[in-house]
Amino acid sequence: MEYKVFRDSEVDSWKEVMLVYSSALKEIGTKIEILNDEFQHVHRYNPIEHVKSRLKTSESIVKKLKRNGYESTIENMVKYVNDIAGIRIICSFTTDIYRIAEMIANQSDIKVLSVKDYIKKTKPSGYKSYHMIVSIPIYLSDRIIDAKVEIQIRTVAMDFWASLEHKINYKFEGNAPEHIKDELYACAQMVSALDAKMLSLNEEIQAIERERENEKNTP
């Protein structure tokens, strides 16, 4: 994101940067909503269960910069912190994840900067999710600014597990006892098995529906 500070006050500059990120969340959120509505209209199927969005707090941004060895400046924040604006898309099935990612990437004004597929390559902890860093143009009154947004796409089961892991890691400040880590990993395996089973069940239901539809249309 290319950004120039045009005001004298640091507070105003900070507010202006956060305005850009907030606008980026609205832009991406609207696109996702339209895609979901269009998909439901054409295919009579809703791939998205719900969407969550958030802006990182100033404390979180400063901590991340310090952790990575950067000074706490607006320039460093914009350049090195890719997840200030974040959107999480929760879907029913693993196949929906890649379908949604493709639909987002095909938007002409969205540029995909990086992708991390933690579904095909699961983290050692058992964490699964599909991450995209994208940029989207924000049209202000006097200029256009490209803003970065992190998009996470996961199933309901993956999101439940990730939420629990986050709470546990926060409680133990990232140093949870080994037996708890082992239990979490075992739960992650159960989540993967559940996702696979639900996907298989959904595909079977769709096959039955198609068969019934064909029977109705057969003279």
Side-chain angles (χ1 to χ4, degrees), residues 4-22:
K4 292 183 179 179
V5 179
F6 289 95
R7 304 183 187 276
D8 295 327
S9 167
E10 278 298 315
V11 175
D12 286 344
S13 298
W14 170 264
K15 285 181 178 179
E16 194 169 19
V17 174
M18 296 313 288
L19 169 67
V20 169
Y21 282 112
S22 176

Side-chain angles (χ1 to χ4, degrees), residues 124-126 161 179-193:
S125 64
W161 184 93
H179 72 279
I180 290 181
K181 291 180 182 179
D182 291 341
E183 289 291 337
L184 272 173
Y185 184 79
C187 288
Q189 299 301 104
M190 295 179 198
V191 164
S192 295

Side-chain angles (χ1 to χ4, degrees), residues 154-178:
R154 58 179 71 150
T155 65
V156 175
M158 290 176 193
D159 189 57
F160 172 73
W161 184 93
S163 177
L164 178 61
E165 187 211 27
H166 178 76
K167 289 175 182 176
I168 290 173
N169 282 332
Y170 182 80
K171 188 173 293 254
F172 289 100
E173 297 180 345
N175 295 307
E178 286 301 318

Side-chain angles (χ1 to χ4, degrees), residues 21 24 35-36 51 53 55 58 60 75 77 81 85 94 96 121 126-127 136 160 168 174 179 194 200 219:
Y21 282 112
L35 286 172
N36 196 38
V51 178
S53 63
L55 283 173
S58 56
S60 294
E75 183 179 358
M77 175 186 96
V81 184
T94 50
D96 293 332
K121 192 174 182 180
Y127 175 87
I136 185 168
F160 172 73
I168 290 173
H179 72 279
L194 176 62
S200 175

